[in-house]
Amino acid sequence: MVPPTVTIKAPNGHSITINTGLFINNEWVEAKNNDKITSINPATEEALAEVSAGSAEDVDKAVKAARDSFNGPWRNIDGTARGNLLLKLADLIEADHEIISSLECLDSGKTLAKAKMDIKEAFEIFRYYGGWADKHYGETIDSGKHRFTYTLREPLGVCAGIIPWNYPLIMVALKLAPAIACGNTSVIKPSEFTPLSVLYFAELVIKAGIPAGVVNIVNGYGKTAGVRLSEHPDVNKIGFTGSTATGKLIMKAASFTMKRVSLETGGKSPLIVFDDADIPNALKWTHYGVYANQGQICTSTARIYVHEKIYDEFVKRFLDYTEKHAIVGDPFSQTTWVGPLVSKQQFDRVLSYVKIAKEEGATLVNGGGVYPNRPNNKGYFVQPTLFGNATPNMRISKEEIFGPFAVFTKFSSQEDVIALANDTDYGLSAAVFTNDVTRAIRVSEKLEAGMVWINSSNNSDPRLPFGGFKQSGLGREAGYSALDEYTQLKTVYLNLEFANDE
């Protein structure tokens, strides 16, 4: 049975039709058990659409389609042709960026302005890897005159991508684009909270001329579709973005078939403001690092250390900056900076940390509750929150909250703040604010983080590798480094000296 379509009307005037089924072998199909997922608009708490929820059997069907495609004509398509397909896909996303941005705004609660930035980054990622598809080489290696030796970069096979809810299409791009560039096929599982933009994207896969089976999209829950992808014997690689706890479960499931795994998991990133920092610049980026995307960013620099000499002044000016810029409201409004959290689950989680912080003795400086001016008293809106006088042993200093929740702590010396910053199981990112270039370089060298921003926060670029240390993940996404995650190295020996009869 062909699954139904649904037309969604966005507040900005777009009327968007999407298919609600599973996208397998370039066809739309219903889930085997006819199970459904309801996508909720977090700004209104109203249902946007019901989409199919794939079972383990549906995952098996998608993996088979990907394997058949990989073993078929796709294997013979050269890098230049694959690159052209990615470039075409990038053009199609760019052409429809207003529609896709509207879907992500509706589905996730992020502001329309932020969604537009995200979709721009998504098509830039596809375009970047379109350029790399015919430029990832092996090597010739001198191993003596009696033989010719070289290496080949070969695709892995079927690569699965398990996508988070905070950046749906960007995360699809980061996993799918290098996979296709390197000659793999794929099965993508969108988050059950934000499937809509990914389903719209599936139609662009067909329009781009990508052959059947190369891209398959299976909506579903982590406990069913996600688990089956992780343990599936015919999946060669899992790329996952999400919590550290879930990442560990994926590693365990993948270990039984020894499949390749790359993980971008949790973070509790520090932001350090030294007393010589440019204060207006530090205010701007501190605000961005903790409140952008409602704080629902794995790299959110929400653990904020300010030198004791400027702490009181900085907090006061940060509150003034927040009052002016952190406008809560309708995510489609041009003036809104903070939209709703993605789900009731996340809404309850963030508010629970307000109670935890108070119980542990932190000082509530700002926010800390449900936004009082919610339309019709609906929507998962939380006030931008700031706690001060936090200590390293408090849960709000240690645990990833994933909301608009800033935690401020004083420090007195460079050595002390480096120790505080590194006192975490995570190591995804960090930010440093100082006008002393030598200090900036020395501190960045000592921070245990995969990415360090100096005098900014949460910059990203498709050309630069993205990933963490410690329990923030394995491997790298973006940049040239990601190509190694989607290929395997083969060494070839060609003997040039044959034995004689003797």
Side-chain angles (χ1 to χ4, degrees), residues 18-38:
I18 62 169
N19 202 299
T20 60
L22 311 178
F23 184 71
I24 299 176
N25 216 30
N26 279 19
E27 296 179 346
W28 291 101
V29 298
E30 269 291 11
K32 179 76 173 178
N33 299 330
N34 204 34
D35 290 338
K36 301 293 182 181
I37 295 169
T38 301

Side-chain angles (χ1 to χ4, degrees), residues 102-355:
S102 300
L103 278 174
E104 292 215 347
C105 181
L106 282 168
D107 212 14
S108 73
K110 66 177 66 202
T111 66
L112 183 61
K114 183 70 174 71
K116 288 180 178 180
M117 292 169 58
D118 293 354
I119 303 312
K120 180 176 184 291
E121 185 168 344
F123 67 69
E124 286 177 346
I125 292 167
F126 279 105
R127 197 162 282 152
Y128 174 78
Y129 285 107
W132 269 118
D134 56 3
K135 302 175 186 68
H136 194 43
Y137 312 120
E139 299 175 299
T140 57
I141 301 165
D142 184 359
S143 61
K145 299 299 182 183
H146 60 291
R147 62 189 175 199
F148 176 62
T149 51
Y150 59 96
T151 61
L152 297 172
R153 281 279 173 192
E154 296 189 346
L156 298 173
V158 177
C159 297
I162 299 178
I163 308 303
W165 45 257
N166 56 340
Y167 287 94
L169 200 60
I170 284 180
M171 293 301 168
V172 169
L174 285 171
K175 291 164 178 58
L176 185 59
I180 290 177
C182 294
N184 301 283
T185 57
S186 65
V187 180
I188 299 294
K189 191 201 85 65
S191 167
E192 56 265 37
F193 293 107
T194 54
L196 301 185
S197 64
V198 185
L199 293 175
Y200 186 90
F201 165 80
E203 291 288 351
L204 304 185
V205 169
I206 297 174
K207 289 182 182 179
I210 294 175
V214 174
V215 178
N216 303 276
I217 298 172
V218 179
N219 316 312
Y221 294 100
K223 62 185 179 182
T224 50
V227 167
R228 183 55 181 158
L229 278 172
S230 301
E231 67 185 14
H232 200 293
D234 210 20
V235 170
N236 301 101
K237 178 203 161 59
I238 294 281
F240 167 77
T241 299
S243 73
T244 296
T246 302
K248 291 177 180 179
L249 294 174
I250 288 172
M251 285 184 70
K252 183 177 180 179
S255 69
F256 293 102
T257 52
M258 296 289 285
K259 56 172 57 68
R260 188 87 66 89
V261 175
S262 59
L263 307 171
E264 193 270 285
T265 52
K268 190 68 177 178
S269 299
L271 182 148
I272 302 168
V273 184
F274 285 99
D275 57 346
D276 67 338
D278 181 293
I279 299 301
N281 182 65
L283 289 169
K284 170 191 170 182
W285 287 106
T286 302
H287 173 266
Y288 184 87
V290 69
Y291 293 146
N293 209 48
Q294 295 72 255
Q296 299 170 134
I297 309 176
C298 53
T299 55
S300 174
T301 43
R303 194 161 50 105
I304 301 159
Y305 298 101
V306 182
H307 194 277
E308 60 187 8
K309 289 183 180 179
I310 61 169
Y311 180 88
D312 291 338
E313 177 197 357
F314 191 86
V315 170
K316 181 181 182 301
R317 292 180 66 174
F318 183 81
L319 288 173
D320 292 341
Y321 192 97
T322 299
E323 185 177 358
K324 181 178 179 181
H325 295 282
I327 307 301
V328 181
D330 176 5
F332 278 89
S333 170
Q334 293 183 356
T335 61
T336 297
W337 177 263
V338 180
L341 299 177
V342 74
S343 66
K344 179 68 162 58
Q345 175 183 332
Q346 195 63 21
F347 176 77
D348 291 341
R349 173 183 169 83
V350 172
L351 291 176
S352 75
Y353 274 96
V354 174
K355 181 181 178 182

